[in-house]
Structure formats: structure tokens, C-alpha cells
Amino acid sequence: MSRSLDDPAGGEPDESEDLDDPRLAALVEALARGETVDWRQAEFSAGSEAEREQVRALAAISEVATFHRTWLAEGGITGNLDEDEEPDDEIPTHWGELEIIERVGRGSFGDVYKAREPRLDRIVALKLIRASAKTPEREAETLREGRLLAKVRHPNVATVHGAAGADGRVGFWMEFLEGKNLAEILQEKGLFDPREAAEIGIALCRALAAVHAQGIVHRDVKAQNVVRENDGRIVLTDFGVGRDATVLHTEEPSLSGTPLYLAPELFEGKLPSPASDLYALGVLLFHLVTGEFPITGNSFDELKAAHQGRKRRWLKELRKDLPGSFVAALERVLDRDLEKRGDEAGMEKELRRFLGERPLRRKRMRQAFIVAGAVFIFAVGMYVARELRRREALEHLDKAAVLHKEGHLQAAINELNEAKKIDPKNATVYLKLISYQSGLGRYSAALTIAKEADSLCGEFSLPSCLEVKGRLAIQLMDYKGALDNFEKVEKLGKDERILQEIVGLYRNLAQPDQGLPAARELGNIDDPVGAGELALTLSAAGRYPDAKVEVGKFRRRFPAHKYLPWVAGPVAIAAGDEATGENEFRSLATQHNDSEDESNGQLLWAQALMFRFKVDEAKEVLVKSSSLDFQEGFDRNEAIRKILFAKCFAIAGDFRQASLALQPILEQEKIPTNLKLFRNAALIAYSVNDIPLAVRFSKIVSQLAGKYTTSLSRSFDLQLKGELAWRRGNFEEAIKVITEARKERDDPQNSLSLARVYLGQKRCDLALPYLNDVVSRRGLIVDDFYTPWTIWNEAVASEASCRKK
């Protein structure tokens, strides 16, 4: 039973509802003529619940009418429910000077014909108002649409050749587009690849820039109004609801256009603008890659409420595989604040960055191949062969990614090596091999692969080549060089992976404040790693309240995510909540669903226990961790565990056991990435007065610093020389070289070494500023996976002792 005249509560009908709305009359007329009507859009556009009920009723009638027409056609009976409609044999042969060939489409009140313009011998599309639908208002509207289009001359905007009245009918003629609209293509082939969508977006950015430059607001950018011609050209069409921006302010605000594409401000009664067209373009690209819309609703009121309640879906929710730079470009123009959307040029620039500045048209490629002839056949053969190899390599890459996610790094590396044999010039394979080998602590292997990849840089794309150089620099502990390369990659196109590297490098350089802008960009991306990087960088920069706020946001956005302990643990300890930090690391160490996270979690848990002076418990955790590291081959963690064991013994006063724990580290391969391990081992050996062992480690650091010259290696070398100098009683030399070390790298360890020298001279007044520097950078200390965090406890104890004096 219909309730079209009842309110939802079942009360009396609202006498104020206007059931004779012109929009309903137009729908009735379209239904009578057998025209195709977008009933969902009509329901969205209804102004009241009563009107929506009437639209639904008309839609039901439409279904019956469609069935009736189909039945007539199947029975061999021709005809139409509209007696006034022109049958095919009455299609005019001419309109003015144009020769009409055939009818190709029907609109609300007009027909579209394929026609020929004899004077120029060209095929055109002719849009005419049907005689039966002719009114002065519709004639004026048709001429207005034609004249609006005629003002714009751009390759990505449908070209109008003229608009006029002739033979009793008004219309305009334009270029005839051979192709399909994007809605049809989406229906036929499914979701668009992000690169393909980006190319469409660039073309439409140019089209809208040309439209807006003429003072026109399109108002109905959507998939149905964008045609891709058979040669690949993207064309913006249908300015039926477009308006001259100079007269928009004289009209009443309206919601003309397709509701799912309308910008939020239009629902608030604001006028259409270039910014609302840009929003619609963002929705269009969102739709092409997801098949969905950012804001949805089953009625106009629901859609409006969704906008007001900010109930939208995010790209990364629907397609987690989309590149960060592509997502960032779309999310910017979909911002509720139209001021933050920027303009077409800005969006085009971001999409170009994503594409890597390689805008090569398919049409030109085809023309080049045709001219080449035999070369074309050879090239296709080569391409097919390479494509088959590429796909086979991708299968191994996918398997490696799954194994890595499960914590089986060695198995993942085996898959990558297979991919490398099949496709030896695949940059992604090399980059992942470097990362996975480093994750296992096999720095020598990682360095070898990085050097091999660097020799192949000419075979890679520019971004991949720069990333390879950045990875090589990291293996050489040249963080400044790595940062330079990654920032160049970032300029070519926003990519959250690269932003993560940049943020991490600034923290490795002990400059977390400089990494905050990139970290904030990551925090705006709907990704847990990005959100975590922002919290960790704020903590490393000493902004603990802000870091805790970000952890709270992380919990709400990504509840129970496995990355949460990695973020919440360090932030809690840095902010002074050691118990919470310990619990977070315990959960990471005992989750048993990822052996790599479990191994790392055990070391972090031990660090947290040591930080709270629970040395015996820390040793128990370290003993348990050894079996897992041996089983999975986590070489780096095995070396760090020895450092932590030695530190536990040193804290307990068992200096002999501390030295014995350090001894095996001498057997580590002497490569630059182990500089931190050798430096920390030397400092612990000095602290337990095993000077010969400390000197041996110091010499290894000095040799590496001479072979791999970076600010980091010079800093470590100078620091250890200073530590040895003051123990030999040469305080002046010690102060000089450690001060130089701080200039190379201003990290807490160097400050603590300098404070130790002044404390050795019993000069608390000179030691206190450096001790305070260490104490104030608790977040940066906890951020360092390699270094025992108890250097902070040492600084606090020394500072308290000095202040008592």
C-alpha cells in the first residue's frame, strides 16, 4: 500500500506539499515519450518525501512500460507509447545546410543526430529540440548551451561549430565523437587502473581550466559526460546545466547536476564555482577506481545528512593497493573546505608527479609503430616476452610480500631471488631484497645488492634509480646522502613509502623537528604506518603531549592493529609512562603471529625492563629471544641482544660477564651498517673498564670511518677517541675531539660522553648542560633500536648527584 500522501508517522498529509511540481511534470512527459530516465537521480533531486514517493511510483510505471515495449518488439509489432514521437522514416533529411544521416541519441526534450556539413565535408553531431517539445524556454536553453560550449576551444572540450534556428527547430552542431562515455567503459571493463584514471584526470584538469578561463562553471562533471574517443582522447561534454559565472550570482542557488557528484557547499545553499567542479572531478576519479562514491545515501535527504555528518568513505578503505601519491591528489580536491582544494593546475601537477612525468600518448605510440613496420612486430614480440617474464616475476614478488608479512624473511628472500633471475632489471625486486636482507641484519648481502642495483640505475625509471641510490647510501650509513636522494624522489611524486623514509632519516640524523612536516603529511593519509610515524616523530622531538594525542587517534582509527605496540610503546616510555610501554612491548613479543615482530618485540620488552631496572627479568626475556632469532636468522637482533646482555651485566656490576657477552660481536662482518653495534660495544667496554676490548672495538670503528667516510662514521670515531683520551688522563684532548663529534652528529650519546669527561674532572658545573641535553631527549633515545636506553638513566643519576653537590 502506497503512503505517498502520508507522512512517515502515519499522520495527515501535508497540505503545503506542491504535488504539481514542474519537475514531476517533466518526468511524466519523459515517461510518456518512452525516454530513458535516471530514476535514482530523480529521486535524489526530489524536494520532499511526498515527491519522492511520486517519483518511485513513476519509476514503477516505467518498468511496466519498458516490459510492454519489449513484448511488442519481440512479437514483431512496431510502435511507441508516445503517438507524437517521430517514427524513424520521418527523420528529417536536412536541417539548414546540414545533411542528417541518422538519429544517434535522445535527450529529455531533444534528439541528437549524426549529420554532415557539406561545405567542409565533415561529420558533426546535431542536437535539435523535438517539434513536439518546443517551447520558447527550451529553445533559449538549447541556444544558451551551444553558445556556452562555443566559447571554449580546447582539445579536451567538445567543440561546437555553431548554434541557430532553422526549419522551425532550434539546435546546435558540434564535433562528432567516436567513442564511449566513461560510465559505459566502467560498466564494460570494470575498475580503472590508477595510472589510467590519472591520465583521464590530467585531461579533465586541462578541460576545466579552459572552461573556467571563459567564466563558465560546468556544474555536471560526471562519468556520463566524459567521452573517451577510440583514439584515446578524453572529451568533456554536455553543458546542459552549465552557467556563465558572471550571472550565477543573479540566480537562486540550485542543486542542478548529479547529486552524488555535488560538492558539500552546494547542499548548504552556496553558489556553484570552479571549486565545486573540481570536487566533482575528484568524485569522478574516485568512482573510476573504486566503482563507489565517497558520499552515499538512498535519498536526497540522506545524501545531505551524510555531507553534514561528514560520513564519507576513503579511497584507502575501498582499495588499499592505491599508491599514496594518487590518493593524496584525490583526497585534496575532495576536501570539505573548498579553499583547500586548490585549482586544476595544482591537481594536474600532483597527478603528473604520480605518473612520474611520463605523459606518452597511446596514439603517438601506435603511429610510431605503424611507421616502423617490421620493427613493430619485433618490438611486440619482445614486449610480449618481457611481459610474460614480468608477470612471472610479479607472482614471486607477491609470494615474497605474503611471506614477509608473516615474518618469514628468508623464505621471502628466496622468492625475490627467483624473481631476480626471471626479470633481472626489475627495480622493485632489488629494493625489496635490500630491505629484507637488512631486516635480517645481513648488511653485507644488502650492501652487495644495493651496489648491483646502483650499477643498473640506467635501466630503471628516474624515481626507482634515485631510490636505489638512497638505499645504497643507507647501507653506507650516509644518512645525509640518502635523505638528498629520497627528497628528490618525493619531488617527482608524492609517495607515502618515500615520506616514511624521509621521516626516518631525519630521526636517524637526530633532527626529528625537521622531519615533522613530512610526518604530518603521513598523518593525513589513511594508513596506520603514516599515523604511527607522526606519533613517533613528535615523541622523538620531545613533544610528548602531542605524541600521546596522536596515539589516541591511532587507537580510534586502527583499533587492535598489529603496528599499535610499535607506536604506543615508545611514546608511553618517552612520556614517562614506563609501565604502559612495557605492557605494549610485552604484547608485541607474545602475539605469535609474526616472527619478525615477535623477535623485535622481545628486544624492546627487554629494553623497557632495563629502563625500569628489572635487570633479571630483562635477561630472562633475552634468553627466550635467542632461540627465535637463531631459528629465523635475525642476525641483527642477535647482535643487539648481545649488546643488551652486556649492558644488563654492567648495570648489575658483573663486569667480567659484560665483557664476555661483548666478545662475539668482534666476529661480526666489518661493514658500515654495523658501526652502531661496534660503537655501542666499545662504550659498554669502556664503562666496565675493559680498556683493551674497548680499544679493539674502537679500532674497527676507526677503520670503517676511514673506508666509508660519512658524518656518522666520523662522529663515532671521534667520540670513541675522546672516551679513550680522558681515561688516559688527557682531558683537554678528550673535550676537543668529542666536541668535534657533536658537531658531526648532535646525538645524546655524544653529549653523555662529554659530560663524563667533565665529571671525571669533578666539574659538575660544566657537565650539567650536557647531562640536561641527554635527559631532555628521552624520546630520541627511546627511538633508537640499537642503543641501550639506560643511557638516559645514567644521565638522570649523574645530574641528580651533581645537583646535590
Side-chain angles (χ1 to χ4, degrees):
M1 177 179 175
S2 171
R3 293 192 302 153
S4 60
L5 297 180
D6 298 331
D7 65 20
E12 293 300 315
D14 186 348
E15 297 293 342
S16 66
E17 293 287 357
D18 181 5
L19 301 180
D20 295 321
D21 192 296
R23 288 177 294 185
L24 287 175
L27 289 173
V28 171
E29 182 177 349
L31 175 59
R33 293 181 181 282
E35 297 173 3
T36 300
V37 177
D38 186 341
W39 293 106
R40 187 178 182 188
Q41 179 179 343
E43 186 179 339
F44 273 136
S45 301
S48 66
E49 184 59 34
E51 188 176 332
R52 273 190 289 280
E53 287 290 345
Q54 290 214 347
V55 170
R56 293 183 194 118
L58 290 173
I61 294 170
S62 174
E63 290 182 11
V64 174
T66 301
F67 173 79
H68 178 60
R69 289 190 186 90
T70 304
W71 176 74
L72 288 173
E74 289 175 350
I77 303 170
T78 60
N80 197 292
L81 295 181
D82 181 4
E83 294 178 358
D84 295 331
E85 182 178 344
E86 298 166 332
D88 287 344
D89 59 359
E90 292 185 14
I91 291 176
T93 58
H94 289 80
W95 181 80
E97 296 182 355
L98 300 180
E99 299 172 357
I100 294 177
I101 300 171
E102 61 179 324
R103 182 165 54 203
V104 294
R106 310 213 73 189
S108 299
F109 307 110
D111 297 313
V112 181
Y113 299 96
K114 183 176 182 180
R116 176 174 171 273
E117 195 172 4
R119 285 188 301 172
L120 299 175
D121 191 25
R122 64 182 174 190
I123 299 299
V124 297
L126 171 63
K127 183 174 182 178
L128 294 178
I129 293 179
R130 284 195 296 278
S132 57
K134 182 172 67 174
T135 66
E137 292 78 12
R138 288 171 187 162
E139 290 182 337
E141 185 74 9
T142 301
L143 288 173
R144 183 192 59 76
E145 181 185 354
R147 287 164 183 164
L148 272 179
L149 273 167
K151 291 171 67 176
V152 184
R153 286 289 183 266
H154 191 273
N156 299 115
V157 179
T159 301
V160 167
H161 303 307
D167 302 328
R169 298 178 72 176
V170 167
F172 63 87
W173 63 104
M174 58 189 289
E175 63 175 315
F176 190 82
L177 301 175
E178 295 279 2
K180 297 179 180 179
N181 68 48
L182 297 183
E184 293 170 330
I185 297 171
L186 181 64
Q187 180 69 26
E188 290 177 6
K189 81 174 190 68
L191 300 183
F192 283 65
D193 177 86
R195 294 188 68 84
E196 186 179 10
E199 289 169 355
I200 291 169
I202 289 170
L204 292 177
C205 282
R206 294 171 176 175
L208 286 178
V211 169
H212 296 157
Q214 292 297 327
I216 300 169
V217 180
H218 188 281
R219 301 210 300 174
D220 200 18
V221 177
K222 61 180 179 180
Q224 291 85 345
N225 289 344
V226 179
V227 172
R228 181 161 72 186
E229 288 200 282
N230 295 336
D231 67 357
R233 182 170 74 114
I234 299 297
V235 186
L236 179 64
T237 67
D238 201 338
F239 282 63
V241 295
R243 285 292 185 273
D244 188 325
T246 61
V247 300
L248 266 174
H249 69 280
T250 66
E251 302 180 0
E252 288 294 323
S254 72
L255 281 168
S256 296
T258 304
L260 290 169
Y261 288 82
L262 294 179
E265 64 270 15
L266 301 182
F267 288 88
E268 299 169 2
K270 295 182 180 178
L271 292 173
S273 67
S276 57
D277 277 352
L278 196 59
Y279 178 92
L281 173 54
V283 174
L284 168 58
L285 298 185
F286 187 108
H287 183 56
L288 293 183
V289 298
T290 66
E292 304 288 343
F293 293 92
I295 297 284
T296 59
N298 294 320
S299 68
F300 180 84
D301 289 340
E302 285 186 16
L303 193 61
K304 183 177 181 180
H307 273 289
Q308 291 174 341
R310 304 190 180 190
K311 297 177 181 178
R312 63 155 295 185
R313 290 183 288 179
W314 303 88
L315 273 171
K316 280 289 188 180
E317 290 178 13
L318 300 171
R319 279 194 64 179
K320 299 185 185 302
D321 62 312
L322 291 176
S325 53
F326 177 79
V327 172
L330 264 62
E331 298 294 6
R332 182 176 63 81
V333 298
L334 290 173
D335 199 291
R336 282 185 56 83
D337 186 349
L338 68 166
E339 297 296 331
K340 293 181 180 178
R341 291 176 203 156
D343 56 16
E344 305 85 2
M347 186 180 187
E348 180 182 349
K349 184 178 180 181
E350 288 194 42
L351 292 174
R352 279 200 170 284
R353 279 183 179 178
F354 162 61
L355 291 175
E357 300 295 339
R358 293 174 297 189
L360 191 59
R361 290 184 179 275
R362 293 178 184 151
K363 181 178 180 181
R364 292 179 183 174
M365 289 178 66
R366 285 199 296 269
Q367 290 172 342
F369 288 147
I370 291 170
V371 172
V375 176
F376 170 77
I377 298 171
F378 176 75
V380 168
M382 292 293 290
Y383 171 79
V384 169
R386 175 164 174 73
E387 184 65 15
L388 290 173
R389 290 197 306 273
R390 188 184 70 84
R391 290 185 180 182
E392 189 178 354
L394 284 176
E395 290 179 8
H396 288 287
L397 273 167
D398 291 340
K399 289 179 183 177
V402 172
L403 290 165
H404 175 261
K405 188 175 182 180
E406 294 172 350
H408 303 305
L409 265 70
Q410 182 54 57
I413 288 169
N414 294 340
E415 291 292 338
L416 291 174
N417 282 327
E418 288 300 315
K420 182 167 170 279
K421 291 177 186 176
I422 297 164
D423 191 1
K425 295 182 181 178
N426 188 319
T428 303
V429 173
Y430 287 95
L431 291 169
K432 286 188 178 292
L433 273 171
I434 296 167
S435 175
Y436 293 2
Q437 293 284 20
S438 295
L440 286 171
R442 298 172 185 169
Y443 301 122
S444 181
L447 180 59
T448 299
I449 296 163
K451 288 179 176 178
E452 184 181 353
D454 187 51
S455 70
L456 293 170
C457 247
E459 305 288 340
F460 304 151
S461 67
L462 178 58
S464 295
C465 178
L466 290 169
E467 186 175 351
V468 163
K469 290 185 178 297
R471 300 283 178 192
L472 175 58
I474 288 175
Q475 296 307 310
L476 297 172
M477 304 296 272
D478 180 11
Y479 294 141
K480 289 182 179 178
L483 183 63
D484 180 59
N485 280 292
F486 281 117
E487 287 185 332
K488 287 177 182 176
V489 177
E490 195 269 340
K491 287 177 182 177
L492 293 175
K494 296 286 183 185
D495 186 325
E496 57 200 71
R497 291 184 313 103
I498 301 304
L499 284 174
Q500 289 167 20
E501 293 294 339
I502 290 171
V503 171
L505 285 165
Y506 273 119
R507 297 213 302 270
N508 264 309
L509 287 166
Q511 299 169 354
D513 284 300
Q514 294 189 42
L516 273 174
R520 293 192 191 283
E521 284 191 57
L522 284 172
N524 291 328
I525 297 171
D526 192 32
D527 177 75
V529 176
E533 286 296 300
L534 177 56
L536 291 172
T537 305
L538 286 165
S539 175
R543 303 185 185 188
Y544 307 127
D546 293 339
K548 290 172 71 176
V549 168
E550 292 301 325
V551 170
K553 290 180 182 177
F554 190 109
R555 290 185 190 279
R556 291 191 293 275
R557 292 170 66 191
F558 312 103
H561 194 280
K562 75 167 196 170
Y563 186 51
L564 178 60
W566 278 99
V567 179
V571 170
I573 290 180
D577 188 357
E578 293 95 342
T580 297
E582 181 186 326
N583 288 334
E584 292 289 353
F585 294 137
R586 182 188 293 112
S587 71
L588 182 65
T590 56
Q591 60 188 3
H592 302 301
N593 60 4
D594 185 323
S595 56
E596 185 183 8
D597 276 352
E598 191 178 337
S599 173
N600 292 329
Q602 287 166 339
L603 295 183
L604 292 167
W605 185 14
Q607 286 267 39
L609 289 166
M610 292 164 64
F611 201 82
R612 303 184 72 193
F613 299 105
K614 298 179 179 180
V615 177
D616 290 337
E617 291 180 45
K619 285 192 285 189
E620 288 178 13
V621 171
L622 291 171
V623 169
K624 289 179 182 178
S625 72
S626 61
S627 61
L628 178 66
D629 291 347
F630 178 78
Q631 175 186 343
E632 295 291 345
F634 298 130
D635 296 352
R636 177 196 64 180
N637 287 5
E638 183 182 354
I640 294 174
R641 187 175 60 255
K642 290 180 173 65
I643 296 284
L644 296 181
F645 258 130
K647 192 68 176 179
C648 283
F649 287 123
I651 292 170
D654 191 342
F655 290 0
R656 181 174 177 277
Q657 286 297 325
S659 293
L660 289 174
L662 293 172
Q663 289 280 350
I665 299 175
L666 289 168
E667 306 305 318
Q668 289 278 143
E669 286 189 79
K670 297 171 179 56
I671 57 175
T673 314
N674 282 340
L675 270 167
K676 286 185 177 180
L677 294 173
F678 296 133
R679 188 271 295 257
N680 288 328
L683 289 172
I684 294 172
Y686 277 129
S687 72
V688 297
N689 292 321
D690 191 340
I691 306 303
L693 182 60
V695 169
R696 290 177 69 184
F697 281 118
S698 297
K699 284 183 178 179
I700 293 172
V701 172
S702 186
Q703 290 168 359
L704 289 171
K707 186 176 181 181
Y708 304 103
T709 305
T710 68
S711 60
L712 186 83
S713 63
R714 288 192 298 270
S715 174
F716 288 177
D717 186 26
L718 289 167
Q719 179 192 16
L720 295 178
K721 286 176 177 175
E723 288 273 351
L724 178 61
W726 83 264
R727 283 175 173 81
R728 289 177 172 172
N730 193 343
F731 292 102
E732 185 177 339
E733 176 66 14
I735 292 169
K736 177 184 175 183
V737 293
I738 297 175
T739 300
E740 287 298 316
R742 287 187 80 239
K743 290 178 182 178
E744 291 286 351
R745 177 181 169 84
D746 182 21
D747 71 9
Q749 286 262 51
N750 282 328
S751 294
L752 187 57
S753 285
L754 200 52
R756 289 190 190 110
V757 177
Y758 286 123
L759 290 172
Q761 292 180 300
K762 302 187 184 302
R763 293 295 307 272
C764 274
D765 57 326
L766 297 177
L768 276 171
Y770 298 104
L771 292 171
N772 184 60
D773 181 63
V774 179
V775 172
S776 66
R777 293 205 275 178
R778 179 164 164 157
L780 191 62
I781 292 169
V782 174
D783 189 58
D784 190 342
F785 190 69
Y786 289 82
T787 301
W789 300 344
T790 50
I791 63 171
W792 184 84
N793 305 79
E794 179 186 344
V796 169
S798 297
E799 186 181 49
S801 176
C802 274
R803 294 197 185 281
K804 284 181 182 179
K805 297 177 182 178

